[in-house]
Amino acid sequence: MSPSVQKILVVGAAGQIGTELTVALRARYGADNVIASDLRRLGGPIAEVGPYLTLDITSRAELDKAIIAHDIDTIINMAAILSSDGEKNPQLAWNVNINGLYNTLEAAREHKLTRVLCPSSIAAFGPNTPKENTPQETILGPTTMYGITKVTGELLCDYYFRRFGVDARGLRYPGIISSEVLPSGGTTDYAVEIFYHAVEKGSYACFLGPESALPMMYMPDCLKCTMDLLAAPVENLKHHGDFNVAAMSFTPEELAAEIRRHLPDFKLSYEIDPRRQSIADSWPRSIDDRCAREEWGWKPSFDLPAMVADMLERLSARHNAGKLYEAGA
Ligand code: NAD
Ligand code: AKB
């Protein structure tokens, strides 16, 4: 049995997932035991409630310094350049996503850390992957630099586990929908932006086409699967860096129809962005997450209607208070 997680360094803690994950980890492990870090200066609730620092994950020296100073035993590496930004600057995507993960794994090996978690993505799949109910083991073949870094990251995590005994874990997140930090630089971002525009203006021009079905997950489920995998007994795991996880799949049209059940006048139009459309077209439409369910008991709580109701309730309350864009986890 592997030792338990005690002192966690979250890298990329200012991002869409890192912000809410830091809050959730502090609630579970204690505020002083979760050190938030990012290339960007951290502020707001994250900086007020627990330890934080500025850290560039591409610098091994900075990472070593943080590990020693805070007696870290676990790293959650959320720092990344996502799919759309990765196509604008593939060199930066390689540097942050690959060299950042390599530094994390090497540091874990040398400092004998208890655990590393670094997410993968549905971007690990490509145009030749089966589109429906995509299996755990299948053709990958991503065509974006982001996807290439995600497949490489999965393989690196598995290699470090087998070769050096580093307990490195990862999940292939679908598009994550959340109400606290707006996403940026990704292809699934439309599924968050649509809610802000629906509440603020009653309309949204979507950059993906009406039939673009993609796998998605609401943030509470993202936090749950991340923390459940982090805490799963290593002896139960047959996979390590590449767990498929799923919750729901929908097209922009289906999402708009669900929003209209709450806001009947909501109007959806299309201004298709060819770059992000071609990325979306290369990804699966739905995911088979049986291995995660069997190996560590994964089960999502939010389907499309429950997610839409909760998002609209949260954002409408903030909009009515004149604070739509002022959220903080
Ligand atoms: P994000 O872009 O919102 O946040 C990433 C954070 O990393 C940012 O705060 C950024 O400042 C930071 N960062 C960038 N370069 C850095 C560096 N050199 N050193 C330290 N920090 C740096 O991303 P996110 O959506 O929160 O994604 C977190 C992880 O989850 C990523 O690995 C991403 O690939 C994965 N993922 C996200 C989604 C999603 O829909 N959000 C879906 C699938 C996978
Ligand atoms: C993106 O769209 O790039 C991310 C992802 C699915 O990895 N949200």
Side-chain angles (χ1 to χ4, degrees):
M1 203 200 294
S2 54
S4 62
V5 166
Q6 293 186 10
K7 205 86 188 274
I8 305 170
L9 176 67
V10 181
V11 184
Q16 185 198 3
I17 300 173
T19 300
E20 293 199 53
L21 182 63
T22 299
V23 173
L25 288 167
R26 283 177 172 166
R28 180 171 299 180
Y29 293 94
D32 289 343
N33 295 323
V34 180
I35 289 78
S37 76
D38 202 285
L39 190 58
R40 291 188 272 169
R41 228 184 128 69
L42 283 153
I46 292 224
E48 283 153 24
V49 171
Y52 68 98
L53 49 99
T54 305
L55 167 66
D56 181 350
I57 194 63
T58 65
S59 162
R60 178 64 200 280
E62 286 185 29
L63 181 58
D64 281 345
K65 200 170 146 202
I67 290 170
I68 293 163
H70 294 276
D71 202 13
I72 296 298
D73 58 57
T74 297
I75 301 176
I76 301 185
N77 180 10
M78 289 283 157
I81 306 299
L82 274 65
S83 58
S84 178
D85 279 356
E87 290 312 288
K88 289 184 201 155
N89 192 342
Q91 295 78 10
L92 178 67
W94 179 267
N95 190 29
V96 175
N97 301 5
I98 295 299
N99 295 332
L101 177 59
Y102 180 74
N103 282 342
T104 305
L105 292 168
E106 271 294 287
R109 180 180 71 79
E110 285 184 21
H111 294 278
K112 300 192 182 355
L113 301 190
T114 301
R115 201 152 298 156
V116 164
L117 190 145
C118 182
S120 183
S121 161
I122 52 162
F125 300 115
N128 296 321
T129 304
K131 288 241 176 278
E132 300 290 350
N133 222 16
T134 303
Q136 178 73 43
E137 259 80 47
T138 186
I139 299 163
L140 296 172
T143 46
T144 60
M145 178 55 94
Y146 176 64
I148 289 166
T149 66
K150 287 299 173 189
V151 173
T152 309
E154 292 178 0
L155 294 170
L156 272 177
C157 287
D158 288 353
Y159 179 83
Y160 269 73
F161 178 75
R162 278 197 322 273
R163 177 81 167 78
F164 301 120
V166 171
D167 187 349
R169 306 177 178 191
L171 330 83
R172 292 173 177 153
Y173 290 145
I176 304 300
I177 297 162
S178 67
S179 58
E180 302 305 302
V181 174
L182 272 163
S184 71
T187 301
T188 57
D189 297 1
Y190 94 84
V192 182
E193 289 170 11
I194 192 171
F195 286 100
Y196 283 74
H197 288 238
V199 164
E200 198 179 17
K201 305 174 192 154
S203 64
Y204 179 65
C206 186
F207 59 76
L208 296 184
E211 303 302 325
S212 296
L214 287 169
M216 300 280 183
M217 180 181 283
Y218 195 31
M219 184 60 89
D221 278 331
C222 174
L223 301 178
K224 184 161 87 143
C225 67
T226 307
M227 298 210 291
D228 285 357
L229 177 59
L230 184 71
V234 71
E235 57 272 21
N236 294 356
L237 304 183
K238 297 191 188 79
H239 297 82
H240 294 276
D242 61 355
F243 280 102
N244 278 5
V245 280
M248 63 186 95
S249 288
F250 53 76
T251 64
E253 279 298 305
E254 287 163 346
L255 178 55
E258 193 59 40
I259 290 173
R260 271 186 216 108
R261 290 183 53 205
H262 303 262
L263 302 172
D265 296 331
F266 173 65
K267 291 192 176 43
L268 182 63
S269 59
Y270 293 92
E271 283 172 19
I272 292 171
D273 170 15
R275 180 165 36 83
R276 286 180 285 188
Q277 184 66 60
S278 82
I279 295 172
D281 290 344
S282 75
W283 290 351
R285 296 165 67 87
S286 61
I287 299 286
D288 177 349
D289 61 1
R290 183 174 339 184
C291 293
R293 289 172 187 258
E294 286 168 7
E295 291 176 42
W296 45 276
W298 163 240
K299 190 166 177 274
S301 299
F302 283 82
D303 59 9
L304 175 61
M307 178 275 286
V308 169
D310 199 58
M311 278 292 283
L312 288 175
E313 192 183 321
R314 286 169 185 275
L315 296 188
S316 301
R318 286 220 305 269
H319 182 55
N320 293 340
K323 294 181 174 172
L324 180 57
Y325 292 96
E326 278 180 41

